[in-house]
Amino acid sequence: MNLMNETELINEYSNSHQNPTNQLIHFVCVPVIFFNVVALIYAVTPPLVTGLVVASSLVFYFRSMRSFLP
């Protein structure tokens, strides 16, 4: 099994997302998936739990993405 390091993974991801069709699909589908997951969590848990899950997810992703921002 050939394991890629972080730089190789980022380069591969970047290269594969240059296609305009791929970008459009991600632009539309990623938010749809996110909001469907939030709706599912909301349907099976109290609203406070949903809010905590969404807030903690946003904090996690913003902290993770800091190293990729200029």
Side-chain angles (χ1 to χ4, degrees), residues 41-42 44-56:
I41 293 169
Y42 182 78
V44 297
T45 62
L48 177 62
V49 174
T50 304
L52 291 173
V53 168
V54 170
S56 62

mmCIF file of all heavy atoms in Angstrom, residues 41-42 44-56:
data_model
loop_
_atom_site.group_PDB
_atom_site.id
_atom_site.type_symbol
_atom_site.label_atom_id
_atom_site.label_comp_id
_atom_site.label_asym_id
_atom_site.label_seq_id
_atom_site.Cartn_x
_atom_site.Cartn_y
_atom_site.Cartn_z
ATOM 1 N N ILE A 41 -29.773 15.063 12.591
ATOM 2 C CA ILE A 41 -29.414 15.181 14.008
ATOM 3 C C ILE A 41 -30.539 15.886 14.761
ATOM 4 O O ILE A 41 -30.926 15.479 15.851
ATOM 5 C CB ILE A 41 -28.077 15.935 14.170
ATOM 6 C CG1 ILE A 41 -26.923 15.105 13.604
ATOM 7 C CG2 ILE A 41 -27.810 16.260 15.636
ATOM 8 C CD1 ILE A 41 -25.613 15.863 13.483
ATOM 9 N N TYR A 42 -31.078 16.945 14.171
ATOM 10 C CA TYR A 42 -32.170 17.700 14.799
ATOM 11 C C TYR A 42 -33.406 16.824 14.996
ATOM 12 O O TYR A 42 -34.102 16.945 16.002
ATOM 13 C CB TYR A 42 -32.511 18.917 13.947
ATOM 14 C CG TYR A 42 -33.601 19.781 14.527
ATOM 15 C CD1 TYR A 42 -33.314 20.651 15.573
ATOM 16 C CD2 TYR A 42 -34.895 19.723 14.041
ATOM 17 C CE1 TYR A 42 -34.304 21.448 16.124
ATOM 18 C CE2 TYR A 42 -35.898 20.518 14.578
ATOM 19 C CZ TYR A 42 -35.590 21.379 15.622
ATOM 20 O OH TYR A 42 -36.579 22.158 16.157
ATOM 21 N N VAL A 44 -33.556 13.647 15.606
ATOM 22 C CA VAL A 44 -33.425 12.575 16.592
ATOM 23 C C VAL A 44 -32.874 13.035 17.940
ATOM 24 O O VAL A 44 -32.763 12.228 18.855
ATOM 25 C CB VAL A 44 -32.558 11.407 16.048
ATOM 26 C CG1 VAL A 44 -33.220 10.777 14.848
ATOM 27 C CG2 VAL A 44 -31.156 11.864 15.736
ATOM 28 N N THR A 45 -32.505 14.320 18.054
ATOM 29 C CA THR A 45 -31.965 14.823 19.318
ATOM 30 C C THR A 45 -32.596 16.170 19.651
ATOM 31 O O THR A 45 -33.164 16.827 18.778
ATOM 32 C CB THR A 45 -30.428 15.004 19.236
ATOM 33 O OG1 THR A 45 -30.136 15.972 18.229
ATOM 34 C CG2 THR A 45 -29.717 13.717 18.935
ATOM 35 N N PRO A 46 -32.468 16.607 20.887
ATOM 36 C CA PRO A 46 -32.980 17.930 21.250
ATOM 37 C C PRO A 46 -32.223 19.034 20.489
ATOM 38 O O PRO A 46 -31.060 18.852 20.117
ATOM 39 C CB PRO A 46 -32.695 18.030 22.750
ATOM 40 C CG PRO A 46 -32.497 16.636 23.207
ATOM 41 C CD PRO A 46 -31.956 15.881 22.029
ATOM 42 N N PRO A 47 -32.859 20.177 20.266
ATOM 43 C CA PRO A 47 -32.214 21.276 19.528
ATOM 44 C C PRO A 47 -30.887 21.728 20.132
ATOM 45 O O PRO A 47 -29.970 22.081 19.403
ATOM 46 C CB PRO A 47 -33.246 22.396 19.579
ATOM 47 C CG PRO A 47 -34.544 21.698 19.752
ATOM 48 C CD PRO A 47 -34.255 20.477 20.585
ATOM 49 N N LEU A 48 -30.771 21.691 21.447
ATOM 50 C CA LEU A 48 -29.514 22.099 22.075
ATOM 51 C C LEU A 48 -28.364 21.205 21.634
ATOM 52 O O LEU A 48 -27.270 21.683 21.326
ATOM 53 C CB LEU A 48 -29.637 22.076 23.601
ATOM 54 C CG LEU A 48 -28.364 22.426 24.369
ATOM 55 C CD1 LEU A 48 -27.923 23.847 24.039
ATOM 56 C CD2 LEU A 48 -28.581 22.255 25.853
ATOM 57 N N VAL A 49 -28.610 19.910 21.573
ATOM 58 C CA VAL A 49 -27.575 18.969 21.130
ATOM 59 C C VAL A 49 -27.201 19.261 19.680
ATOM 60 O O VAL A 49 -26.020 19.264 19.318
ATOM 61 C CB VAL A 49 -28.043 17.509 21.300
ATOM 62 C CG1 VAL A 49 -27.041 16.543 20.702
ATOM 63 C CG2 VAL A 49 -28.287 17.197 22.767
ATOM 64 N N THR A 50 -28.191 19.528 18.843
ATOM 65 C CA THR A 50 -27.919 19.860 17.445
ATOM 66 C C THR A 50 -27.034 21.089 17.356
ATOM 67 O O THR A 50 -26.051 21.113 16.610
ATOM 68 C CB THR A 50 -29.235 20.111 16.680
ATOM 69 O OG1 THR A 50 -30.065 18.968 16.803
ATOM 70 C CG2 THR A 50 -28.974 20.399 15.216
ATOM 71 N N GLY A 51 -27.373 22.113 18.111
ATOM 72 C CA GLY A 51 -26.568 23.334 18.112
ATOM 73 C C GLY A 51 -25.141 23.087 18.559
ATOM 74 O O GLY A 51 -24.198 23.620 17.983
ATOM 75 N N LEU A 52 -24.979 22.260 19.583
ATOM 76 C CA LEU A 52 -23.633 21.947 20.072
ATOM 77 C C LEU A 52 -22.832 21.159 19.040
ATOM 78 O O LEU A 52 -21.641 21.403 18.851
ATOM 79 C CB LEU A 52 -23.716 21.168 21.383
ATOM 80 C CG LEU A 52 -24.232 21.951 22.586
ATOM 81 C CD1 LEU A 52 -24.421 21.024 23.782
ATOM 82 C CD2 LEU A 52 -23.291 23.090 22.930
ATOM 83 N N VAL A 53 -23.477 20.230 18.354
ATOM 84 C CA VAL A 53 -22.793 19.443 17.320
ATOM 85 C C VAL A 53 -22.354 20.359 16.176
ATOM 86 O O VAL A 53 -21.212 20.297 15.711
ATOM 87 C CB VAL A 53 -23.691 18.300 16.795
ATOM 88 C CG1 VAL A 53 -23.112 17.677 15.540
ATOM 89 C CG2 VAL A 53 -23.890 17.256 17.870
ATOM 90 N N VAL A 54 -23.248 21.226 15.720
ATOM 91 C CA VAL A 54 -22.916 22.132 14.620
ATOM 92 C C VAL A 54 -21.803 23.088 15.043
ATOM 93 O O VAL A 54 -20.821 23.286 14.315
ATOM 94 C CB VAL A 54 -24.166 22.910 14.148
ATOM 95 C CG1 VAL A 54 -23.790 24.011 13.178
ATOM 96 C CG2 VAL A 54 -25.166 21.959 13.513
ATOM 97 N N ALA A 55 -21.922 23.689 16.227
ATOM 98 C CA ALA A 55 -20.911 24.635 16.700
ATOM 99 C C ALA A 55 -19.548 23.966 16.855
ATOM 100 O O ALA A 55 -18.527 24.517 16.413
ATOM 101 C CB ALA A 55 -21.356 25.248 18.026
ATOM 102 N N SER A 56 -19.519 22.784 17.447
ATOM 103 C CA SER A 56 -18.232 22.101 17.629
ATOM 104 C C SER A 56 -17.637 21.681 16.288
ATOM 105 O O SER A 56 -16.419 21.734 16.099
ATOM 106 C CB SER A 56 -18.374 20.902 18.564
ATOM 107 O OG SER A 56 -19.250 19.940 18.020
#
